[in-house]
């Protein structure tokens, strides 16, 4: 009999097809997992879950007695209760590395878009309002040779630093849980406290994972520390920022602009004031969303899932302790 697995929200088609050939697959999207009967029924027998942003908490796990592995199709895993999974000897995996360069490219995309006002000017041209040469009211600001402040110097933070250094000749400040000597040497990056970074950067860029320590990391006080000319970029998770404080900082001119790939609530509410602001560039959480990269993420997630189901060690485990416990 084929093993039962759940695919949630997103998996690229060729990968989904290949899993469907080997497993009894049920695909779910846009459902309330707590109340969806079909989901709950399948969950009882499922040995694996693969997908994007499914909230795996104690309640879900209480209804998943046969679960061996949860394979996230993302590098972030704030949707998983790792402690609870580990306690139950359930493997958890994510998709690091394969998306690093793509997310770093996106960060520079929104940074350039916000600094050079690209969406606003694109809109002006397309709405046929370009009727004379534009003056200072429409100028942007340079990013080359300015100071970028990277909050979170993990793999993606370092790929951002690489672009900043070698693409735009920028001065690099960073703040991270641990110092990264390698990045300091390679990119001439200077480690500093969060407060120093915020007060000295032209472009504070947030790229930390969402953890209990980073939830609400940037709020009123932090915006007050930023330069009035600062352009703030968030490509981590919406909840690392207190969004009402970001809105206030933009409304009062405490900071100049923002580029956001993530929001406190996703999809973003149509009533969110950020959507009304010309100096805010928005993206619908697509940091890693190129076809090539999404495919690589799906493939890696499927490799993780299959390894776990076959009693092998998945290549990119979040809780390797479970493997030790299972093979003791
Ligand atoms: C990731 O991989 O964490 C991206 O943000 C997609 O969720």
């Amino acid at each position: 009999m084929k093993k039962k697995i759940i695919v949630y929200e997103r998996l690229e088609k060729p990968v989904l097809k290949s899993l469907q050939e080997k497993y009894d697959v049920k695909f779910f999207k846009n459902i309330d997992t707590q109340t969806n009967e079909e989901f709950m029924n399948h969950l009882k027998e499922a040995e694996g879950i693969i997908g994007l942003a499914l909230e795996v908490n104690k309640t879900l796990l209480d209804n998943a007695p046969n679960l061996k592995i949860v394979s996230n199709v993302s590098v972030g895993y704030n949707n998983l209760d790792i402690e609870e999974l580990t306690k139950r000897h359930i493997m958890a995996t994510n998709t690091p590395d394969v998306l690093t360069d793509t997310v770093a490219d996106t960060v520079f995309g929104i940074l350039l878009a916000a600094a050079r006002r690209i969406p606003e000017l694109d809109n002006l041209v397309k709405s046929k309002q370009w009727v004379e040469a534009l003056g200072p009211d429409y100028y942007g600001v340079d990013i080359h040779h300015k100071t970028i402040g990277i909050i979170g110097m993990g793999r993606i933070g370092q790929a951002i630093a690489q672009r900043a250094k070698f693409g735009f000749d920028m001065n690099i400040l960073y703040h991270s849980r641990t110092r990264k000597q390698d990045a300091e040497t390679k990119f001439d990056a200077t480690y500093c406290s969060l407060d120093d970074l915020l007060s000295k950067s032209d472009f504070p860029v947030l790229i930390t994972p969402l953890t209990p320590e980073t939830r609400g990391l940037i709020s009123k006080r932090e915006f007050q520390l930023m330069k009035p000319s600062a352009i703030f970029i968030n490509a981590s998770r919406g909840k690392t920022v207190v969004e009402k404080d970001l809105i206030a900082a933009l409304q009062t001119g405490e900071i100049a602009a923002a580029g956001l790939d993530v929001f406190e609530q996703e999809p973003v509410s149509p009533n969110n004031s950020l959507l009304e602001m010309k100096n805010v560039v928005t993206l619908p959480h697509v940091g890693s969303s190129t076809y090539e990269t999404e495919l690589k993420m799906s493939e890696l997630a499927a490799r993780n899932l299959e390894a776990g189901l076959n009693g092998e060690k998945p290549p990119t485990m979040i809780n390797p302790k479970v493997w030790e416990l299972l093979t003791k």
Side-chain angles (χ1 to χ4, degrees), residues 9-159:
E9 283 287 346
R10 198 162 77 200
L11 196 64
E12 294 313 313
K13 277 201 185 105
V15 180
L16 177 60
K17 192 163 169 276
S18 146
L19 290 182
Q20 279 165 334
E21 282 159 14
K22 299 181 231 171
Y23 302 98
D24 177 357
V25 175
K26 271 270 183 304
F27 180 76
F28 296 93
K29 194 177 171 147
N30 277 339
I31 52 152
D32 178 352
T33 56
Q34 309 272 335
T35 54
N36 188 296
E37 217 173 296
E38 204 190 348
F39 177 82
M40 278 301 177
N41 284 338
H42 211 72
L43 186 62
K44 283 198 181 66
E45 292 173 40
E47 293 184 45
I49 297 178
I50 181 168
L52 178 71
L54 173 66
E55 200 63 40
V56 176
N57 52 24
K58 191 171 178 305
T59 320
L60 182 140
L61 292 173
D62 283 343
N63 290 288
N66 293 304
L67 200 58
K68 292 194 172 75
I69 178 158
V70 180
S71 170
N72 253 13
V73 192
S74 64
V75 68
Y77 51 85
N78 48 289
N79 57 312
L80 307 179
D81 185 335
I82 294 297
E83 208 179 305
E84 201 58 45
L85 283 156
T86 306
K87 214 173 4 176
R88 296 168 193 239
H89 297 191
I90 298 172
M91 291 174 265
T93 63
N94 66 343
T95 58
D97 299 318
V98 291
L99 47 53
T100 300
D101 283 317
T102 301
V103 178
D105 287 353
T106 308
V107 165
F108 269 91
I110 35 179
L111 177 48
L112 273 170
R116 299 298 303 272
R117 301 167 62 175
I118 292 171
E120 185 189 343
L121 295 173
D122 171 68
N123 187 46
L124 180 137
V125 176
K126 288 181 184 158
S127 62
K128 304 181 176 116
Q129 293 175 64
W130 181 28
V131 289
E132 57 180 352
L134 301 179
D137 283 353
Y138 295 95
Y139 293 165
V141 294
D142 284 330
I143 70 164
H144 62 83
H145 299 97
K146 296 268 183 76
T147 299
I148 189 169
I150 302 171
I151 306 160
M153 197 56 126
R155 297 179 191 87
I156 300 173
Q158 292 186 41

Side-chain angles (χ1 to χ4, degrees), residues 110-111 114-117 140-143 146-149 151 170 173 194-206 218 221-234 245-246 248-260 277 279-281:
I110 35 179
L111 177 48
R116 299 298 303 272
R117 301 167 62 175
V141 294
D142 284 330
I143 70 164
K146 296 268 183 76
T147 299
I148 189 169
I151 306 160
M170 297 174 94
L173 304 178
L194 180 61
D195 286 7
D196 272 356
L197 179 147
L198 296 174
S199 60
K200 292 181 183 155
S201 299
D202 297 303
F203 311 115
V205 173
L206 189 55
I218 306 296
R221 191 189 79 88
E222 287 70 30
F223 287 116
Q224 279 166 350
L225 287 173
M226 292 181 199
K227 297 181 183 185
S229 57
I231 298 180
F232 172 68
I233 306 295
N234 189 7
D245 295 344
L246 168 63
L250 286 159
Q251 279 167 343
T252 57
E254 215 150 56
I255 64 169
L260 308 170
M277 298 180 182
N279 54 346
V280 175
V281 173

